PDB file of all heavy atoms in Angstrom:
ATOM      1  N   ILE A  52     113.711  37.968  99.739  1.00  0.00           N
ATOM      2  CA  ILE A  52     112.958  38.492  98.592  1.00  0.00           C
ATOM      3  C   ILE A  52     112.635  39.966  98.815  1.00  0.00           C
ATOM      4  O   ILE A  52     112.666  40.777  97.883  1.00  0.00           O
ATOM      5  CB  ILE A  52     111.667  37.680  98.377  1.00  0.00           C
ATOM      6  CG1 ILE A  52     112.003  36.232  98.003  1.00  0.00           C
ATOM      7  CG2 ILE A  52     110.793  38.306  97.287  1.00  0.00           C
ATOM      8  CD1 ILE A  52     110.785  35.329  97.920  1.00  0.00           C
ATOM      9  N   LEU A  53     112.352  40.321 100.066  1.00  0.00           N
ATOM     10  CA  LEU A  53     112.012  41.707 100.390  1.00  0.00           C
ATOM     11  C   LEU A  53     113.247  42.587 100.466  1.00  0.00           C
ATOM     12  O   LEU A  53     113.321  43.616  99.799  1.00  0.00           O
ATOM     13  CB  LEU A  53     111.248  41.768 101.715  1.00  0.00           C
ATOM     14  CG  LEU A  53     109.855  41.134 101.745  1.00  0.00           C
ATOM     15  CD1 LEU A  53     109.239  41.301 103.126  1.00  0.00           C
ATOM     16  CD2 LEU A  53     108.959  41.753 100.685  1.00  0.00           C
ATOM     17  N   LEU A  54     114.215  42.211 101.295  1.00  0.00           N
ATOM     18  CA  LEU A  54     115.375  43.074 101.517  1.00  0.00           C
ATOM     19  C   LEU A  54     116.441  42.909 100.445  1.00  0.00           C
ATOM     20  O   LEU A  54     116.937  43.892  99.891  1.00  0.00           O
ATOM     21  CB  LEU A  54     115.977  42.795 102.898  1.00  0.00           C
ATOM     22  CG  LEU A  54     117.178  43.672 103.289  1.00  0.00           C
ATOM     23  CD1 LEU A  54     116.796  45.144 103.249  1.00  0.00           C
ATOM     24  CD2 LEU A  54     117.695  43.289 104.667  1.00  0.00           C
ATOM     25  N   GLY A  55     116.801  41.677 100.143  1.00  0.00           N
ATOM     26  CA  GLY A  55     117.895  41.443  99.209  1.00  0.00           C
ATOM     27  C   GLY A  55     117.569  41.785  97.774  1.00  0.00           C
ATOM     28  O   GLY A  55     118.441  42.230  97.021  1.00  0.00           O
ATOM     29  N   TYR A  56     116.315  41.595  97.366  1.00  0.00           N
ATOM     30  CA  TYR A  56     115.950  41.802  95.961  1.00  0.00           C
ATOM     31  C   TYR A  56     115.091  43.045  95.738  1.00  0.00           C
ATOM     32  O   TYR A  56     115.099  43.599  94.643  1.00  0.00           O
ATOM     33  CB  TYR A  56     115.206  40.569  95.432  1.00  0.00           C
ATOM     34  CG  TYR A  56     116.127  39.411  95.160  1.00  0.00           C
ATOM     35  CD1 TYR A  56     116.471  38.521  96.170  1.00  0.00           C
ATOM     36  CD2 TYR A  56     116.685  39.204  93.907  1.00  0.00           C
ATOM     37  CE1 TYR A  56     117.338  37.463  95.943  1.00  0.00           C
ATOM     38  CE2 TYR A  56     117.542  38.149  93.649  1.00  0.00           C
ATOM     39  CZ  TYR A  56     117.870  37.283  94.681  1.00  0.00           C
ATOM     40  OH  TYR A  56     118.731  36.245  94.445  1.00  0.00           O
ATOM     41  N   THR A  57     114.337  43.483  96.746  1.00  0.00           N
ATOM     42  CA  THR A  57     113.457  44.634  96.568  1.00  0.00           C
ATOM     43  C   THR A  57     113.884  45.829  97.410  1.00  0.00           C
ATOM     44  O   THR A  57     113.392  46.935  97.198  1.00  0.00           O
ATOM     45  CB  THR A  57     111.997  44.250  96.912  1.00  0.00           C
ATOM     46  OG1 THR A  57     111.713  42.945  96.419  1.00  0.00           O
ATOM     47  CG2 THR A  57     111.016  45.213  96.265  1.00  0.00           C
ATOM     48  N   GLY A  58     114.773  45.619  98.378  1.00  0.00           N
ATOM     49  CA  GLY A  58     115.270  46.719  99.179  1.00  0.00           C
ATOM     50  C   GLY A  58     114.346  47.161 100.287  1.00  0.00           C
ATOM     51  O   GLY A  58     114.406  48.316 100.724  1.00  0.00           O
ATOM     52  N   MET A  59     113.475  46.260 100.783  1.00  0.00           N
ATOM     53  CA  MET A  59     112.535  46.608 101.848  1.00  0.00           C
ATOM     54  C   MET A  59     112.909  45.860 103.123  1.00  0.00           C
ATOM     55  O   MET A  59     112.834  44.633 103.175  1.00  0.00           O
ATOM     56  CB  MET A  59     111.101  46.259 101.438  1.00  0.00           C
ATOM     57  CG  MET A  59     110.589  47.051 100.251  1.00  0.00           C
ATOM     58  SD  MET A  59     108.824  46.772  99.917  1.00  0.00           S
ATOM     59  CE  MET A  59     108.852  45.061  99.381  1.00  0.00           C
ATOM     60  N   LEU A  60     113.330  46.603 104.147  1.00  0.00           N
ATOM     61  CA  LEU A  60     113.682  46.017 105.435  1.00  0.00           C
ATOM     62  C   LEU A  60     112.417  45.883 106.278  1.00  0.00           C
ATOM     63  O   LEU A  60     111.914  46.863 106.820  1.00  0.00           O
ATOM     64  CB  LEU A  60     114.712  46.881 106.161  1.00  0.00           C
ATOM     65  CG  LEU A  60     115.090  46.445 107.583  1.00  0.00           C
ATOM     66  CD1 LEU A  60     115.622  45.017 107.590  1.00  0.00           C
ATOM     67  CD2 LEU A  60     116.104  47.404 108.184  1.00  0.00           C
ATOM     68  N   SER A  61     111.915  44.659 106.366  1.00  0.00           N
ATOM     69  CA  SER A  61     110.662  44.407 107.081  1.00  0.00           C
ATOM     70  C   SER A  61     110.929  43.712 108.407  1.00  0.00           C
ATOM     71  O   SER A  61     111.673  42.731 108.467  1.00  0.00           O
ATOM     72  CB  SER A  61     109.734  43.534 106.228  1.00  0.00           C
ATOM     73  OG  SER A  61     108.622  43.095 106.981  1.00  0.00           O
ATOM     74  N   PHE A  62     110.303  44.244 109.459  1.00  0.00           N
ATOM     75  CA  PHE A  62     110.342  43.597 110.765  1.00  0.00           C
ATOM     76  C   PHE A  62     109.026  42.862 111.041  1.00  0.00           C
ATOM     77  O   PHE A  62     108.729  42.561 112.190  1.00  0.00           O
ATOM     78  CB  PHE A  62     110.597  44.632 111.869  1.00  0.00           C
ATOM     79  CG  PHE A  62     112.037  44.983 112.051  1.00  0.00           C
ATOM     80  CD1 PHE A  62     112.624  45.969 111.274  1.00  0.00           C
ATOM     81  CD2 PHE A  62     112.821  44.321 112.976  1.00  0.00           C
ATOM     82  CE1 PHE A  62     113.960  46.306 111.423  1.00  0.00           C
ATOM     83  CE2 PHE A  62     114.160  44.643 113.141  1.00  0.00           C
ATOM     84  CZ  PHE A  62     114.733  45.638 112.358  1.00  0.00           C
ATOM     85  N   GLY A  63     108.273  42.573 109.985  1.00  0.00           N
ATOM     86  CA  GLY A  63     106.996  41.896 110.155  1.00  0.00           C
ATOM     87  C   GLY A  63     107.008  40.430 109.799  1.00  0.00           C
ATOM     88  O   GLY A  63     105.943  39.801 109.741  1.00  0.00           O
ATOM     89  N   GLN A  64     108.193  39.857 109.572  1.00  0.00           N
ATOM     90  CA  GLN A  64     108.263  38.452 109.162  1.00  0.00           C
ATOM     91  C   GLN A  64     107.787  37.517 110.260  1.00  0.00           C
ATOM     92  O   GLN A  64     107.272  36.434 109.981  1.00  0.00           O
ATOM     93  CB  GLN A  64     109.681  38.089 108.741  1.00  0.00           C
ATOM     94  CG  GLN A  64     110.197  38.874 107.545  1.00  0.00           C
ATOM     95  CD  GLN A  64     109.321  38.748 106.335  1.00  0.00           C
ATOM     96  OE1 GLN A  64     108.592  39.686 105.987  1.00  0.00           O
ATOM     97  NE2 GLN A  64     109.348  37.605 105.686  1.00  0.00           N
ATOM     98  N   GLY A  65     107.968  37.910 111.515  1.00  0.00           N
ATOM     99  CA  GLY A  65     107.483  37.078 112.610  1.00  0.00           C
ATOM    100  C   GLY A  65     105.975  36.903 112.562  1.00  0.00           C
ATOM    101  O   GLY A  65     105.442  35.826 112.862  1.00  0.00           O
ATOM    102  N   ALA A  66     105.265  37.964 112.166  1.00  0.00           N
ATOM    103  CA  ALA A  66     103.813  37.885 112.043  1.00  0.00           C
ATOM    104  C   ALA A  66     103.408  36.905 110.951  1.00  0.00           C
ATOM    105  O   ALA A  66     102.458  36.127 111.108  1.00  0.00           O
ATOM    106  CB  ALA A  66     103.229  39.270 111.747  1.00  0.00           C
ATOM    107  N   LEU A  67     104.141  36.907 109.834  1.00  0.00           N
ATOM    108  CA  LEU A  67     103.840  35.998 108.730  1.00  0.00           C
ATOM    109  C   LEU A  67     104.179  34.560 109.102  1.00  0.00           C
ATOM    110  O   LEU A  67     103.415  33.635 108.813  1.00  0.00           O
ATOM    111  CB  LEU A  67     104.630  36.416 107.486  1.00  0.00           C
ATOM    112  CG  LEU A  67     104.573  37.895 107.096  1.00  0.00           C
ATOM    113  CD1 LEU A  67     105.383  38.145 105.836  1.00  0.00           C
ATOM    114  CD2 LEU A  67     103.139  38.355 106.909  1.00  0.00           C
ATOM    115  N   PHE A  68     105.315  34.380 109.731  1.00  0.00           N
ATOM    116  CA  PHE A  68     105.748  33.058 110.181  1.00  0.00           C
ATOM    117  C   PHE A  68     104.757  32.502 111.208  1.00  0.00           C
ATOM    118  O   PHE A  68     104.324  31.347 111.111  1.00  0.00           O
ATOM    119  CB  PHE A  68     107.144  33.177 110.802  1.00  0.00           C
ATOM    120  CG  PHE A  68     107.764  31.878 111.209  1.00  0.00           C
ATOM    121  CD1 PHE A  68     108.408  31.072 110.286  1.00  0.00           C
ATOM    122  CD2 PHE A  68     107.733  31.464 112.535  1.00  0.00           C
ATOM    123  CE1 PHE A  68     109.009  29.879 110.666  1.00  0.00           C
ATOM    124  CE2 PHE A  68     108.318  30.266 112.927  1.00  0.00           C
ATOM    125  CZ  PHE A  68     108.966  29.471 111.990  1.00  0.00           C
ATOM    126  N   GLY A  69     104.377  33.322 112.181  1.00  0.00           N
ATOM    127  CA  GLY A  69     103.433  32.887 113.203  1.00  0.00           C
ATOM    128  C   GLY A  69     102.049  32.618 112.646  1.00  0.00           C
ATOM    129  O   GLY A  69     101.379  31.666 113.068  1.00  0.00           O
ATOM    130  N   ALA A  70     101.616  33.444 111.689  1.00  0.00           N
ATOM    131  CA  ALA A  70     100.298  33.233 111.085  1.00  0.00           C
ATOM    132  C   ALA A  70     100.233  31.881 110.391  1.00  0.00           C
ATOM    133  O   ALA A  70      99.251  31.136 110.530  1.00  0.00           O
ATOM    134  CB  ALA A  70      99.991  34.361 110.096  1.00  0.00           C
ATOM    135  N   GLY A  71     101.298  31.551 109.645  1.00  0.00           N
ATOM    136  CA  GLY A  71     101.335  30.247 108.989  1.00  0.00           C
ATOM    137  C   GLY A  71     101.381  29.107 109.977  1.00  0.00           C
ATOM    138  O   GLY A  71     100.724  28.071 109.782  1.00  0.00           O
ATOM    139  N   ALA A  72     102.117  29.291 111.073  1.00  0.00           N
ATOM    140  CA  ALA A  72     102.226  28.240 112.083  1.00  0.00           C
ATOM    141  C   ALA A  72     100.890  28.011 112.787  1.00  0.00           C
ATOM    142  O   ALA A  72     100.437  26.864 112.952  1.00  0.00           O
ATOM    143  CB  ALA A  72     103.304  28.608 113.105  1.00  0.00           C
ATOM    144  N   TYR A  73     100.240  29.087 113.210  1.00  0.00           N
ATOM    145  CA  TYR A  73      98.971  28.950 113.926  1.00  0.00           C
ATOM    146  C   TYR A  73      97.874  28.393 113.023  1.00  0.00           C
ATOM    147  O   TYR A  73      97.085  27.546 113.454  1.00  0.00           O
ATOM    148  CB  TYR A  73      98.543  30.295 114.509  1.00  0.00           C
ATOM    149  CG  TYR A  73      99.157  30.580 115.859  1.00  0.00           C
ATOM    150  CD1 TYR A  73     100.249  31.415 115.987  1.00  0.00           C
ATOM    151  CD2 TYR A  73      98.642  29.989 117.012  1.00  0.00           C
ATOM    152  CE1 TYR A  73     100.823  31.671 117.221  1.00  0.00           C
ATOM    153  CE2 TYR A  73      99.205  30.234 118.257  1.00  0.00           C
ATOM    154  CZ  TYR A  73     100.299  31.073 118.353  1.00  0.00           C
ATOM    155  OH  TYR A  73     100.863  31.321 119.588  1.00  0.00           O
ATOM    156  N   MET A  74      97.817  28.847 111.776  1.00  0.00           N
ATOM    157  CA  MET A  74      96.780  28.334 110.877  1.00  0.00           C
ATOM    158  C   MET A  74      96.981  26.849 110.612  1.00  0.00           C
ATOM    159  O   MET A  74      96.020  26.061 110.642  1.00  0.00           O
ATOM    160  CB  MET A  74      96.801  29.123 109.571  1.00  0.00           C
ATOM    161  CG  MET A  74      95.812  28.597 108.523  1.00  0.00           C
ATOM    162  SD  MET A  74      94.096  28.584 109.115  1.00  0.00           S
ATOM    163  CE  MET A  74      93.717  30.340 109.063  1.00  0.00           C
ATOM    164  N   THR A  75      98.201  26.443 110.356  1.00  0.00           N
ATOM    165  CA  THR A  75      98.486  25.026 110.133  1.00  0.00           C
ATOM    166  C   THR A  75      98.117  24.194 111.353  1.00  0.00           C
ATOM    167  O   THR A  75      97.483  23.136 111.241  1.00  0.00           O
ATOM    168  CB  THR A  75      99.973  24.830 109.792  1.00  0.00           C
ATOM    169  OG1 THR A  75     100.309  25.590 108.631  1.00  0.00           O
ATOM    170  CG2 THR A  75     100.273  23.358 109.544  1.00  0.00           C
ATOM    171  N   GLY A  76      98.508  24.670 112.527  1.00  0.00           N
ATOM    172  CA  GLY A  76      98.188  23.942 113.758  1.00  0.00           C
ATOM    173  C   GLY A  76      96.703  23.852 114.019  1.00  0.00           C
ATOM    174  O   GLY A  76      96.183  22.793 114.412  1.00  0.00           O
ATOM    175  N   LEU A  77      95.981  24.935 113.778  1.00  0.00           N
ATOM    176  CA  LEU A  77      94.538  24.953 114.051  1.00  0.00           C
ATOM    177  C   LEU A  77      93.774  24.008 113.133  1.00  0.00           C
ATOM    178  O   LEU A  77      92.875  23.284 113.585  1.00  0.00           O
ATOM    179  CB  LEU A  77      94.000  26.378 113.908  1.00  0.00           C
ATOM    180  CG  LEU A  77      94.378  27.343 115.042  1.00  0.00           C
ATOM    181  CD1 LEU A  77      94.011  28.778 114.670  1.00  0.00           C
ATOM    182  CD2 LEU A  77      93.685  26.937 116.339  1.00  0.00           C
TER     183      LEU A  77
END
Side-chain angles (χ1 to χ4, degrees):
I52 296 174
L53 294 181
L54 182 58
Y56 285 86
T57 320
M59 296 187 292
L60 175 57
S61 170
F62 278 86
Q64 298 303 106
L67 311 181
F68 185 82
Y73 275 100
M74 176 58 74
T75 302
L77 287 170

